[in-house]
Amino acid sequence: MKKLFFSLFWFIFVSTISAQKNIILLIGDGMGTTQFFTLIEAKKDNAIEQFTHVGFQKTSSANAFVTESAAAATALATGKKTNNNYVSIDPETKQPLKTLVQLGNAKGLSTGVVVTCDITHATPAAFLAHSIHRRNYEDIAESMLNTHPTLFIGGGRDRFEKRKDNRSLSDSLKKQGFQVLYTLDDILKTQNPKVAGLLFDVHPESMVNGRGEFLKPASEKAIELLNQNSKGFFLMIESSQIDWICHDNRFDDLIPELIDFDNTIHAVLDFAKKDGNTLVIVTGDHETGGLSVLKRQEDVMFSRFTTFDHSPVMVPVFAFGPGAETFSGIYENTEIQKKIRKLLDL
Ligand code: MG
Ligand code: ZN
């Protein structure tokens, strides 16, 4: 009997100290090494240089050397490569693949997604939904009713409320216990973590067009709400528009977007340092624009884009916190999800 009590005590002790509580994955859409370098050069007090471990991920999709964001996010969310434009759908069986949000829920963790785009856009969609094509925005909104995240914050209100089928998916969300909120102020005021934040009809503005402070306060609030769960949480934060600006080869407009992302990373790192039980991962889903930085005169960087599309080059992965060392090395994008599962015991 004594022996049994001892083993029970030991089991609880070990599982408590070895349990990875929280993982926050930050994705800069379209960020390869040069975009991260640009951020580092543009912001001397950047958060990126505080990360302790760095690796590289290979981003090709199941059917293409050059991926797009749905297939890339599917790899990150499900640990399986799929065809370009598929949203967390298996390329062979055409069946839905379980995402980190679903796997986290099944283990009793809180789960969340915060983005600077329509919440049904490719990257968040791969964590929150399943669809055979990324452009099926209204179907993706409907599919989001089946994955039960604790919270999500972004744009895309029209996908839920101005639909071709005239249904209100916001009513369906409310029936599932969500508060459907339309302003950042309302989100910042709530203490109830079940938040469906639909803050923009479709996408928010870019930073140069006046988005202002959104990603950082929304992410900080998401952390506060998810952290109410003592079992831990998984949160994905995306700076979505870096990719779009690189598609347009607008280097000057890229910098404010990168600084906004870095401010958010800074806030997340501050939380992780205080908490001590949170792993922070920062990466891109692929590189966009084939960007090079050529020289710098005073504060002006001279750059060149080589394509309006994505490029296939490896993308850096920065990690900080318990388990960070497992992100060193060179690996396929699907390994990131597998490492997260292992650390969270999903
Ligand atoms: Mg994206
Ligand atoms: Zn793109």
Side-chain angles (χ1 to χ4, degrees), residues 78-323:
T78 74
K80 182 122 206 241
K81 286 189 191 267
T82 193
N83 294 340
N84 280 6
N85 299 313
Y86 285 25
V87 178
S88 289
I89 294 283
D90 187 289
E92 283 98 35
T93 65
K94 313 283 191 256
Q95 292 301 306
L97 296 160
K98 282 254 187 301
T99 79
L100 282 173
V101 165
Q102 293 173 292
L103 295 165
N105 293 340
K107 273 276 176 167
L109 271 63
S110 290
T111 54
V113 171
V114 181
V115 296
T116 55
C117 65
D118 177 347
I119 196 75
T120 66
H121 204 256
T123 313
F127 287 82
L128 296 169
H130 303 90
S131 178
I132 200 71
H133 203 288
R134 58 180 286 174
R135 277 197 285 276
N136 298 341
Y137 300 113
E138 293 189 357
D139 293 344
I140 287 168
E142 187 163 5
S143 172
M144 281 176 59
L145 298 172
N146 301 318
T147 55
H148 309 289
T150 309
L151 63 84
F152 61 86
I153 303 170
R157 182 176 175 175
D158 286 356
R159 317 302 189 186
F160 292 80
E161 299 181 3
K162 280 193 186 161
R163 298 168 55 81
K164 282 188 215 90
D165 62 11
N166 288 318
R167 290 165 58 207
S168 167
L169 297 191
S170 288
D171 288 346
S172 312
L173 286 168
K174 284 175 199 161
K175 278 191 198 116
Q176 292 191 354
F178 281 99
Q179 322 156 73
V180 181
L181 301 176
Y182 303 116
T183 68
L184 182 60
D185 274 353
D186 284 342
I187 291 174
L188 296 180
K189 271 186 245 156
T190 188
Q191 290 306 313
N192 175 359
K194 286 296 283 179
V195 170
L198 297 170
L199 275 50
F200 311 92
D201 293 343
V202 185
H203 301 301
E205 296 288 358
S206 63
M207 284 308 284
V208 282
N209 286 329
R211 184 168 76 242
E213 281 254 288
F214 162 62
L215 189 60
K216 181 181 148 201
S219 301
E220 287 178 315
K221 185 66 189 186
I223 290 169
E224 180 200 317
L225 293 172
L226 296 173
N227 199 34
Q228 290 177 13
N229 184 345
S230 60
K231 287 185 179 160
F233 66 81
F234 170 76
L235 170 64
M236 192 283 277
I237 298 167
E238 185 201 22
S239 178
S240 317
Q241 302 196 22
I242 291 164
D243 171 68
W244 309 346
I245 292 166
C246 288
H247 276 291
D248 292 345
N249 293 3
R250 289 184 283 130
F251 187 76
D252 291 346
D253 295 354
L254 174 61
I255 291 173
E257 210 65 42
L258 293 173
I259 289 173
D260 179 63
F261 187 36
D262 191 76
N263 290 337
T264 306
I265 299 167
H266 217 115
V268 170
L269 269 187
D270 284 349
F271 167 79
K273 283 178 189 168
K274 255 186 269 158
D275 181 70
N277 220 358
T278 298
L279 171 67
V280 183
I281 307 157
V282 178
T283 189
D285 54 348
H286 53 72
E287 197 276 342
T288 304
L291 178 61
S292 281
V293 171
L294 305 171
K295 61 177 178 175
R296 177 176 179 148
Q297 281 170 350
E298 315 254 299
D299 275 348
V300 182
M301 276 181 269
F302 291 77
S303 67
R304 187 171 295 157
F305 288 98
T306 57
T307 178
F308 294 105
D309 203 343
H310 302 165
S311 81
V313 296
M314 292 191 295
V315 163
V317 182
F318 304 91
F320 178 95

